[in-house]
Amino acid sequence: MGDTINFDYYYGIEAEQFSFYRVPRLLIKDERFKGLSSDAKLLYGLMLDRMSLSMKNGWLDDENRAYIIYTVDAIMEDLGCAKATCAKIMKELDTENGIGLIEKKRRGLGKPDIIYVKNFSTITDAQTEEKSDNADKTTEVQKLNLKKSNMHTSRSSGFRTPEVHNADFKRFRK
C-alpha cells in the first residue's frame, strides 16, 4: 500500500456531503448470499445504482423490464480490477453460471450487452419460510396480525372519540 496519508476528521454536517452507493443488507445477512464474494455484492450495489439512470433514460424492454448497460471496461474502472477478475465477478452474479442476480442479453454488432438486474427481494413462499440463523430481529419487519389485535386505532370501527360520539349538535346554534 505505501505511506499512510494524514486525513482530517469530519466536523459538523460535513459527514453528509457525499453521495453513497447502497448495498442491500439482505445481501450481507441472508444465508442464500453467503457464497457471494464481497466484490460481487459491491458490483450488484453499483448495478442497482445504475437502475435509477435506466429509469431516467427510459431503458425498458418490450416486457416493461428495466435494464442497464454497464460495459466490462466501466466495471473494471469502477472496481479497479483486471478483465479476468471482472469476468469472474460477473459470472458469480449471472443466471447461467452463478446465483442469478443478473441476466445478460447479447446485442451483437459490437454493442455492449444489456444487463437485467434481478429483484433479489422477490422470493417464493418456500424460501420465505426458511429463516437465517443470524437474522437481526431488530432490522427485520415482523409479521403482525393486526386483525386479532385488541388495540383500537382511530380507523378501527370499535373506536370513537367520546367528544364526538356524545355531542348533541341540535343544542348548538350560531
Side-chain angles (χ1 to χ4, degrees):
M1 272 297 246
D3 298 328
T4 303
I5 302 172
N6 189 15
F7 293 105
D8 198 9
Y9 298 97
Y10 286 109
Y11 297 98
I13 61 170
E14 288 178 337
E16 297 179 12
Q17 68 185 346
F18 302 107
S19 59
F20 295 91
Y21 292 112
R22 295 173 49 155
V23 176
R25 181 185 315 262
L26 195 61
L27 287 181
I28 308 298
K29 295 284 189 181
D30 196 289
E31 259 324 293
R32 291 170 294 166
F33 304 115
K34 286 291 183 189
L36 279 180
S37 69
S38 298
D39 287 339
K41 293 173 185 179
L42 176 61
L43 179 57
Y44 185 77
L46 293 172
M47 289 179 171
L48 285 176
D49 183 64
R50 283 184 168 243
M51 288 292 285
S52 63
L53 290 174
S54 294
M55 296 311 298
K56 288 177 186 174
N57 291 332
W59 289 354
L60 302 170
D61 68 3
D62 297 336
E63 297 177 40
N64 205 31
R65 298 178 300 184
Y67 63 87
I68 64 172
I69 297 175
Y70 202 2
T71 64
V72 173
D73 290 336
I75 294 170
M76 288 169 42
E77 183 178 329
D78 289 347
L79 293 180
C81 66
K83 193 170 190 171
T85 305
C86 179
K88 179 182 161 231
I89 296 168
M90 291 290 283
K91 279 185 179 182
E92 279 187 70
L93 297 173
D94 199 0
T95 302
E96 293 179 16
N97 303 308
I99 195 164
L101 285 172
I102 64 170
E103 183 178 328
K104 292 188 293 185
K105 181 179 177 184
R106 291 204 174 271
R107 294 194 299 170
L109 302 172
K111 294 180 181 177
D113 295 344
I114 286 176
I115 301 172
Y116 293 100
V117 181
K118 300 242 185 134
N119 188 346
F120 67 93
S121 63
T122 56
I123 50 178
T124 63
D125 291 337
Q127 291 171 328
T128 306
E129 292 174 9
E130 297 176 16
K131 292 185 177 180
S132 70
D133 295 335
N134 65 348
D136 187 4
K137 292 181 183 178
T138 60
T139 61
E140 299 297 323
V141 177
Q142 297 177 0
K143 292 183 180 177
L144 300 174
N145 191 351
L146 298 176
K147 290 184 179 180
K148 291 184 179 180
S149 175
N150 291 331
M151 293 176 38
H152 296 292
T153 64
S154 61
R155 292 184 183 246
S156 63
S157 60
F159 181 80
R160 293 187 183 190
T161 56
E163 297 83 21
V164 174
H165 181 66
N166 296 330
D168 185 8
F169 293 108
K170 291 180 183 177
R171 289 188 309 168
F172 300 106
R173 293 186 183 193
K174 288 187 177 180

